[in-house]
Amino acid sequence: MDKYLICGLGNPGDEYQETRHNTGFMVLDAFAKASNILFTPQRYGDVATLMLKGRKVFLLKPTTFMNLSGNAVRYWLNKENIDESRLLVVSDDLALPLGAFRLKASGSNGGHNGLGHIQQLIGTNYARLRMGIGSDFSRGQQVDWVLGRYDDDEKKLLEPAIEIATAIIQSFVLSGITTTMNQYNKLGKNKMCSHDDSASKN
């Protein structure tokens, strides 16, 4: 049986709920809700499982805190004998505007601590879905920004991107990374263009 690991990055605990740095958790929560499955506490993370057309999918929200996310990813890859080509990590990204997203087959960590730790432990050869959180903060305020909560207006911009992200997860499992990138990255780019257009009008 083919197995897949989908890991959403974030920090555990109520104080981090719905913060920008927990956007990966929010995507997995939406996917689990749409699939009518629940997370249960397990080693290194909260885990939910489902079947998609004969493929077993593990959803993982690490409870290691962001900087040690690689421990959870490596453990679950090894435990379930899942190849890295069937790993998708969902993270927040300061370099993309809110509502935009980008799917990549591999690459650098882009300065993201969670991706950085995963890279230390398993390398860079895994797919990642970067969810834009914007960068509307003053110099030196990055930590406050990523650990800040979305306001209602921001949630309205984020919700369509989360909905597309859940479709991307399903497509990644059923159709593979290349087909999914070809289908969805155009949408993510359009989101960036529309954001740039609205910014130039203001």
Side-chain angles (χ1 to χ4, degrees):
M1 182 195 299
D2 289 342
K3 295 179 181 179
Y4 292 78
L5 180 63
I6 314 297
C7 174
L9 297 185
N11 286 308
D14 291 343
E15 66 268 39
Y16 297 107
Q17 206 170 342
E18 296 196 340
T19 58
R20 296 180 182 90
H21 221 17
N22 273 35
T23 305
F25 279 14
M26 293 169 73
V27 169
L28 260 61
D29 285 338
F31 189 87
K33 186 177 180 182
S35 306
N36 204 24
I37 56 174
L38 297 173
F39 285 92
T40 58
Q42 300 201 41
R43 187 161 184 200
Y44 287 129
D46 294 330
V47 178
T49 58
L50 73 152
M51 297 296 296
L52 276 178
K53 295 188 178 176
R55 299 160 174 89
K56 189 165 188 180
V57 182
F58 293 82
L59 305 180
L60 168 65
K61 297 192 297 181
T63 48
T64 54
F65 285 94
M66 185 68 82
N67 294 359
L68 297 174
S69 299
N71 292 341
V73 170
R74 183 173 62 178
Y75 173 79
W76 282 94
L77 287 176
N78 291 340
K79 180 180 185 294
E80 296 298 333
N81 195 25
I82 299 171
D83 190 83
E84 285 158 25
S85 65
R86 293 186 177 138
L87 165 66
L88 173 64
V89 177
V90 186
S91 71
D92 59 295
D93 194 330
L94 286 163
L96 297 173
L98 179 63
F101 55 87
R102 185 175 296 146
L103 179 65
K104 297 185 78 176
S106 61
S108 72
N109 61 53
H112 191 285
N113 291 335
L115 294 176
H117 193 252
I118 294 169
Q119 181 178 322
Q120 279 179 39
L121 299 188
I122 70 164
T124 60
N125 193 28
Y126 66 90
R128 68 283 312 271
L129 173 59
R130 298 174 182 266
M131 305 292 293
I133 63 169
S135 54
D136 188 18
F137 55 88
S138 306
R139 190 172 176 180
Q141 300 300 308
Q142 180 173 321
V143 172
D144 291 338
W145 177 258
V146 298
L147 295 181
R149 279 192 168 86
Y150 289 110
D151 64 28
D152 289 342
D153 289 340
E154 289 171 329
K155 282 180 186 172
K156 284 175 191 164
L157 284 172
L158 181 66
E159 278 164 10
I162 286 182
E163 202 171 304
I164 294 169
T166 63
I168 287 172
I169 291 171
Q170 182 159 319
S171 178
F172 173 76
V173 172
L174 298 179
S175 304
I177 182 65
T178 304
T179 299
T180 306
M181 283 169 61
N182 289 341
Q183 184 176 350
Y184 286 98
N185 274 342
K186 283 177 248 173
L187 282 175
K189 213 168 185 181
N190 290 343
K191 294 264 187 186
M192 288 180 71
C193 293
S194 63
H195 182 276
D196 291 341
D197 289 344
S198 62
S200 65
K201 286 172 191 167
N202 292 337

